[in-house]
Each structure stands twice: as C-alpha cells, then as structure tokens.
Amino acid sequence: MAVAHMDLKEALDTLKDTGVRITPQRHAILEYLINSMSHPTADDIYKALEGKFPNMSVATVYNNLRVFREVGLVKELTYGDASSRFDLVTTHHYHVICESCGKIVDFHYPGLDEVEHLASHVTGFKISHHRMEIYGTCPECASKEAH
C-alpha cells in the first residue's frame, strides 16, 4: 500500500505560510526527505547532499531539520540508537524496524484509526495520537543469516 506522503509543493507551501525562508539547501533537504523512504539521519542527508553543497556541514543539516520540526513538517524519531532519524509528517503510517541493521520501513494501515476512538471511548481520554512499531528482520539481513 502506498504511503500518502506529502509532496514537495505542499511542504514548501507550509514553509512559506510559516514565514521560513526557502534556501536552496532547505529545498534540497526537503526533497531528499520526500524521496527517501528510509527515515534518514542528519548524517545520511549530509552525505547525500555534500556534493551539491560543498560548504554545507552536518550542523547545517541538523539545524534545518530542527526548523522543519518546529513548523511541524518533520518528526524526529529516536529508537534507542544514538542517531535520530527524520521522517516527514504524513498521514498515518507505521514503522517496521529491522532488529539487525536498524532499517526502518513505512507501511500504511488505515484500520488502526479505530484504536484511537475505542481507547477514547473506553478510558475517557482525549486521544492526541498513537504510535506503533513492528520489529523483525529485513529481507537483506534475513538472506545474510541464511547463508
């Protein structure tokens, strides 16, 4: 199932609406996040873009990601390992995480929206959101283990 990722135009419009200046670097970082399905770290993004922006540092990438996070475009995911991964805020999707290499893959499952209604109904809570993580071994790691 396809993940309903926001497109670049939507993301750029959000920045414009919140008054964030769109620099070429910000544009490139957003584009990279939109095209990447793998929840890159700041370091991944830096390595992918350093050829295009030789004077960009990891700190620049990180600061821009923080700006995106503050305007609600990006979520910072921390899964116990040292480096935060970044993910565009999208419609509901869930993460399947490889326990061997740490790769995170999106999958979309709309059926879980009912969980929030039920939780609210049963507990009386006003529910803001939920988070589900599924763990396993990715095909690449599984095939390595088999050999």
Side-chain angles (χ1 to χ4, degrees):
M1 281 181 210
V3 176
H5 261 293
M6 75 165 74
D7 61 23
L8 188 59
K9 187 185 163 333
E10 266 178 278
L12 294 170
D13 286 347
T14 303
L15 288 183
K16 280 190 200 110
D17 295 345
T18 51
V20 173
R21 209 159 61 86
I22 299 162
T23 63
Q25 293 180 350
R26 283 185 178 150
H27 191 282
I29 291 169
L30 269 181
E31 202 168 21
Y32 184 81
L33 277 169
I34 286 169
N35 295 327
S36 157
M37 294 302 280
S38 63
H39 311 92
T41 61
D43 208 47
D44 294 334
I45 299 170
Y46 166 71
K47 288 194 182 102
L49 299 178
E50 64 179 334
K52 226 192 288 183
F53 301 99
N55 56 357
M56 182 166 72
S57 66
V58 178
T60 314
V61 173
Y62 201 80
N63 290 337
N64 281 317
L65 289 166
R66 224 173 30 226
V67 170
F68 297 157
R69 194 185 62 209
E70 279 157 18
V71 299
L73 269 183
V74 166
K75 290 197 297 277
E76 192 167 343
L77 310 168
T78 41
Y79 290 106
D81 61 352
S83 44
S84 293
R85 293 170 177 278
F86 291 86
D87 188 16
L88 277 177
V89 173
T90 56
T91 54
H92 286 299
H93 68 269
Y94 302 94
H95 295 140
V96 186
I97 301 155
C98 179
E99 292 167 302
S100 302
C101 68
K103 175 162 63 184
I104 304 172
V105 175
D106 287 346
F107 86 106
H108 188 70
Y109 184 69
L112 285 175
D113 296 351
E114 289 163 29
V115 168
E116 293 187 7
H117 299 298
L118 187 65
S120 169
H121 182 75
V122 170
T123 61
F125 273 59
K126 191 168 158 282
I127 306 296
S128 65
H129 63 287
H130 69 270
R131 174 169 158 172
M132 179 174 78
E133 292 157 21
I134 299 166
Y135 292 87
T137 307
C138 73
E140 291 78 19
C141 291
S143 72
K144 276 186 218 138
E145 285 166 14
H147 293 301

